[in-house]
Amino acid sequence: MVGFWNYTVYLTYCGLVSAVSGIYYAFTGRIKASLICLLISGVCDMFDGRIARTKKDRTEAEKSFGIQIDSLCDVVCFGILPAVLSFALGTERVWQTVVAALFALCGVIRLAYFNVMAQEEHSSGYLGIPITTSALAVPLLMCFRNVLGDKLPIAYSILLAVMGVLYIAPIRVKKPGRLGSAVMIVIGVAVLICIIIKM
């Protein structure tokens, strides 16, 4: 079959399957399940690169394939899924539809730039925030769903607009080290618990 089939990409594929499931749940009104799928995709993305690097005999073609497939899956996981969630939450105004579309577009531009500049990005951190930020930011906002009430769709659109701009903003962002990753995991677990209990 076409492609490279080994354990270095399986977790990336799991993240995509989770995101597609999340899109289905969003369309059917099961917001909690959709958010959990988004968080799962974020966890998969956090560890897929580390798993891939354990294979020391990867060819250049395998490495390039890994970069490309990761970005393609990220488009669905962290670009399309959050945009679909926007509609599931009741964003009905034209400007909100435009924001959701531009959010996805900024994500695609961010990922395409990352692929072109992959070597430089790996050595010096990121230019613009990673698109995977939505895996934590979106569920975190949803923890305040009861507080925001009927203002939630507007707050969600504002969040997408801010993240979209930050995806392509020329700001240097350092890669999180072990401590940073640990902090994100703790926050992610807290957000997951919040979603399960409060939604």
Side-chain angles (χ1 to χ4, degrees), residues 86-87 91 93-105 157:
S86 174
F87 305 129
T91 55
R93 299 177 182 176
V94 174
W95 72 268
Q96 291 174 307
T97 301
V98 172
V99 165
L102 290 178
F103 166 81
L105 176 61
S157 294

Side-chain angles (χ1 to χ4, degrees), residues 12-36:
T12 303
Y13 295 162
C14 288
L16 176 65
V17 170
S18 179
V20 172
S21 301
I23 291 171
Y24 165 74
Y25 288 132
F27 275 130
T28 55
R30 287 175 276 185
I31 304 301
K32 180 192 291 189
S34 183
L35 290 168
I36 291 173

Side-chain angles (χ1 to χ4, degrees), residues 65-123:
F65 178 81
I67 292 172
Q68 299 297 328
I69 200 69
D70 183 68
S71 289
L72 290 170
C73 290
D74 283 354
V75 169
V76 179
C77 297
F78 313 115
I80 303 303
L81 175 52
V84 171
L85 266 168
S86 174
F87 305 129
L89 291 173
T91 55
E92 300 175 348
R93 299 177 182 176
V94 174
W95 72 268
Q96 291 174 307
T97 301
V98 172
V99 165
L102 290 178
F103 166 81
L105 176 61
C106 289
V108 171
I109 292 171
R110 166 82 187 91
L111 290 167
Y113 178 82
F114 175 82
N115 284 5
V116 171
M117 304 295 291
Q119 294 303 318
E120 181 179 328
E121 291 273 289
H122 285 169
S123 62

